[in-house]
Amino acid sequence: MSQATDLLAALADIDPAAQLAEARNVRQAATRHAQGSYEVLFGEDDDDFPLAQRYALAGQVAGWHGVTSLQAHYQQQPSETPADARFAAGRAFAELLSLHPVDATPQQLTTLRHAGWTPRGIVTLAQLVGFVSFQSRLLTGLRLLSGETSRAQPHAVAGKWHSAPLTASGQTALTAFTQQELGWEPWLAAKPLSEFTVEEQATLAKNGHSESDYFRLLARNLPLLEQRTLTDKGIFYTPDGLPRAERELAATVVSKVNGCIYCASVHARKASQLSKDETAVQKLLNVAPGAELAHGQSARWAAIIDFVATLSLTPVASSQTQLQALREHGLDTLQLLDLIQSAAFFAWANRLMLTLGEPFLPEQPQG
């Protein structure tokens, strides 16, 4: 991939001869498909969500995240901010997803529908906010790796999470973080499998998405879902670099900051299995809102948790001091890139999970 077609490399001003450029080349799948996600989001123009409005909202989201170079990039594109109820509803939804995704309820989706947004448009809007949230953190991390300084916040704390005992449909909700396997119900109808073409069904099957309400909901914009899935695989399922257990740890930390019980359940379980340290992972899950996430962890995991947690704040508050601490624990440039990409991706994943549906506790079989 050339610098000209790699937006993040250009905005981070990465020297093509630097170790960071080499590390991103090693992770070329993640690099290529992060760019591919950008090209799908900002390469199509349709009535569901016009391109000029996408640029306008992307610039606003980057601004809420405090990433001025990314904000400037989007503001330089041809944009439109119509003074109508439809755009106003989309902007309010984008602000909620950016700043307070855990506060989302089905009502916001109802408001969007009443304002004229289609199901496909809503999914694309949520994906745009999640993607720019991912871009913002990845760009900030890349600039830190290139030596940029920033204001330090040495510790970050657990965010709040849902406390209602029942889901919107009346199923048993989760009021605590867990490593149990959970269900997830959409607040916007997933697209029935029968409504996809044969080719689209093959794409869903290839990625294991056919039976998932979550993925068939995101598949209302299938090209974007496919690029997002390939980005995910390029970040989490690649050899060498940061141990997979610590990539999963990063996903769990982000989910604790954002209050995403479902994502945390999946990735805490994987972190426990791979690290063989279920006690440490459960200790992280047990941290109460407002308490420091790294308390009681090993020195290496505490350094990872602190860095990932501050990278997950809006705006980001990670520092060179934290990066240096990670280097002192043996993380090289490739491993640091893996950590940053893992954390950044869950800024995207959490925002979809928290604002398009919610987890529930499956009924236990009687025996």
Side-chain angles (χ1 to χ4, degrees), residues 158 161 176-180 249 252-253 255-256 260-261 263-269 272 278-289 293 297:
W161 54 83
F177 280 77
T178 178
Q179 296 189 50
Q180 288 180 265
L249 174 68
T252 308
V253 172
S255 302
K256 281 291 293 183
C260 188
I261 289 176
C263 289
S265 71
V266 173
H267 297 280
R269 193 162 59 249
S272 289
E278 183 175 352
T279 300
V281 174
Q282 190 61 44
K283 184 180 293 182
L284 171 63
L285 291 182
N286 291 343
V287 176
L293 286 162
Q297 299 287 348

Side-chain angles (χ1 to χ4, degrees), residues 3-319:
Q3 188 91 350
T5 60
D6 185 351
L7 176 63
L8 289 173
L11 293 179
D13 197 23
I14 298 173
D15 181 346
Q19 283 186 342
L20 177 55
E22 181 181 345
R24 292 187 80 233
N25 188 54
V26 170
R27 293 291 179 254
Q28 54 87 24
T31 300
R32 182 170 72 252
H33 294 297
Q35 178 68 20
S37 299
Y38 169 82
E39 290 170 359
V40 170
L41 259 171
F42 300 101
E44 62 179 11
D45 197 0
D46 56 42
D47 292 338
D48 289 311
F49 189 3
L51 181 58
Q53 295 179 24
R54 296 186 193 194
Y55 281 129
L57 286 175
Q60 183 65 76
V61 173
W64 284 320
H65 286 295
V67 184
T68 54
S69 59
L70 188 62
Q71 181 181 21
H73 165 76
Y74 285 119
Q75 289 177 337
Q76 289 163 8
Q77 312 308 315
S79 63
E80 176 192 18
T81 56
D84 59 25
R86 183 181 183 280
F87 186 82
R91 186 187 184 281
F93 186 70
E95 184 173 12
L96 180 73
L97 266 66
S98 297
L99 303 176
H100 308 290
V102 76
D103 289 336
T105 69
Q107 182 58 46
Q108 280 85 36
L109 302 185
T110 301
T111 298
L112 288 170
R113 293 301 305 274
H114 288 166
W117 285 82
T118 65
R120 187 179 191 275
I122 292 170
V123 167
T124 305
L125 172 60
Q127 285 274 36
L128 181 145
V129 178
F131 175 70
V132 177
S133 301
F134 160 77
Q135 270 189 315
S136 296
R137 285 159 180 80
L138 184 47
L139 178 57
T140 301
L142 294 174
R143 295 185 73 92
L144 282 171
L145 285 175
S146 295
E148 184 175 278
T149 58
S150 64
R151 291 178 296 173
Q153 178 167 331
H155 301 287
V157 300
K160 69 175 184 179
W161 54 83
H162 293 161
S163 58
L166 298 176
T167 69
S169 71
Q171 299 193 79
T172 302
L174 275 297
T175 58
F177 280 77
T178 178
Q179 296 189 50
Q180 288 180 265
E181 291 192 31
L182 305 177
W184 185 87
E185 63 179 38
W187 294 335
L188 186 67
K191 187 173 178 178
L193 193 60
S194 61
E195 293 183 11
F196 291 94
T197 67
V198 172
E199 293 78 10
E200 290 170 339
Q201 288 185 27
T203 298
L204 288 169
K206 177 182 66 178
N207 292 314
H209 293 165
S210 303
E211 303 305 317
S212 166
D213 282 342
Y214 174 65
F215 287 113
R216 283 189 291 103
L217 173 56
L218 296 185
R220 288 186 177 276
N221 188 329
L222 186 56
L224 181 53
L225 171 59
E226 186 164 25
Q227 286 299 315
R228 181 185 179 277
T229 298
L230 292 169
T231 306
D232 180 3
K233 290 180 177 179
I235 291 171
F236 284 92
Y237 298 90
T238 45
D240 304 319
L242 190 71
R244 172 78 185 282
E246 292 179 341
R247 302 185 209 190
E248 300 292 349
L249 174 68
T252 308
V253 172
V254 181
S255 302
K256 281 291 293 183
V257 172
N258 290 326
C260 188
I261 289 176
Y262 185 90
C263 289
S265 71
V266 173
H267 297 280
R269 193 162 59 249
K270 290 181 180 177
S272 289
Q273 292 166 353
L274 294 167
S275 69
K276 312 298 184 189
D277 195 348
E278 183 175 352
T279 300
V281 174
Q282 190 61 44
K283 184 180 293 182
L284 171 63
L285 291 182
N286 291 343
V287 176
E292 285 187 12
L293 286 162
H295 181 72
Q297 299 287 348
S298 69
R300 179 181 167 109
W301 274 29
I304 288 173
I305 290 167
D306 271 339
F307 177 76
V308 168
T310 54
L311 194 66
S312 305
L313 297 175
T314 305
V316 173
S318 302
S319 69

